[in-house]
Amino acid sequence: ILCSATPDTAKDSLLMIRTWIGAIPFLTHLIPRKTEAGRDSASYMDVGCIVPAKSPSIRAMSVKGALASARATLVIADDIEQDNNTLTRDARMRLDRLTEEFVSQIVPGGHIIYLGTDHHEESLYEKLEDKGFVFRAWPVMYPTPAEEALLPGYAPLLKADIESGRAKPGDPTWPERFDREYIYQKQ
């Protein structure tokens, strides 16, 4: 299940996954089959190498969607927290209740991954560590040692880049997407 704050955002992410599957050679075996049994729409798809089951391989939906009928080995909660669903305490509590449904959707051995940015000081992301989730922070630039000390859950892969000398503080962590000029403009 690919879950976002809105159906359109989830569908955009599914489109990105489809693009990767079609463009990256070692993923092309996952291209959906153009058969009657294979599902392929803006909201869901079956990857090409499996026999279609009751649930599609990937389903894109809003956090407010009908999770009750869905089962998954992986739930990716991608930017489910936004300004409009964290404005009030009631809205934040509702979002927290909705995310509790993820647990009931996971089959034994499955996983839940949250990707997102805090939109409120009472962010649901801040509560996840207490629920057993491991927190990882992936800043846009490699931090200085002082900045790293203030960064909970600093990604071990990025830390290894600094320690090995492959990167230095201030370097972009993903220069192909966010180069120095872009980062400086955002700052």
Side-chain angles (χ1 to χ4, degrees):
I1 298 173
L2 179 58
C3 190
S4 293
T6 67
D8 287 343
T9 307
K11 289 175 186 178
D12 288 346
S13 294
L14 183 55
L15 177 61
M16 179 180 63
I17 290 169
R18 267 196 191 85
T19 302
W20 291 343
I21 288 172
I24 300 172
F26 67 85
L27 296 179
T28 57
H29 67 286
L30 300 174
I31 293 171
R33 293 185 202 149
K34 301 294 183 195
T35 65
E36 192 173 303
R39 290 167 283 208
D40 189 17
S41 75
S43 299
Y44 49 83
M45 68 180 261
D46 286 319
V47 294
C49 58
I50 62 130
V51 175
K54 180 182 175 189
S55 295
S57 302
I58 304 173
R59 176 180 291 170
M61 60 193 325
S62 162
V63 69
K64 297 176 187 173
L67 286 172
S69 64
R71 296 289 176 264
T73 54
L74 176 64
V75 172
I76 299 175
D78 183 17
D79 283 329
I80 57 173
E81 182 177 295
Q82 295 185 340
D83 289 338
N84 64 352
N85 63 10
T86 59
L87 285 174
T88 66
R89 181 165 170 66
D90 286 344
R92 292 187 299 278
M93 289 173 63
R94 180 168 190 262
L95 182 61
D96 194 43
R97 281 192 306 275
L98 288 169
T99 61
E100 289 296 324
E101 289 185 35
F102 294 160
V103 176
S104 65
Q105 308 319 308
I106 293 293
V107 299
H111 301 280
I112 302 171
I113 297 173
Y114 287 87
L115 305 169
T117 304
D118 294 4
H119 283 260
H120 193 275
E121 63 188 25
E122 293 177 2
S123 171
L124 73 91
Y125 302 128
E126 299 296 327
K127 301 172 189 172
L128 292 174
E129 205 164 14
D130 293 338
K131 296 178 181 181
F133 286 85
V134 176
F135 179 79
R136 290 289 179 255
W138 296 79
V140 72
M141 291 180 0
Y142 288 93
T144 64
E147 292 166 335
E148 182 184 334
L150 301 172
L151 191 61
Y154 179 51
L157 290 173
L158 297 181
K159 187 173 186 145
D161 287 344
I162 292 284
E163 291 170 352
S164 71
R166 289 187 300 265
K168 62 184 184 306
D171 285 349
T173 56
W174 190 359
E176 300 83 7
R177 183 167 184 198
F178 305 113
D179 61 18
R180 288 180 189 275
E181 183 178 326
Y182 174 85
I183 293 169
Y184 293 139
Q185 287 175 358
K186 286 296 183 179
Q187 288 176 327

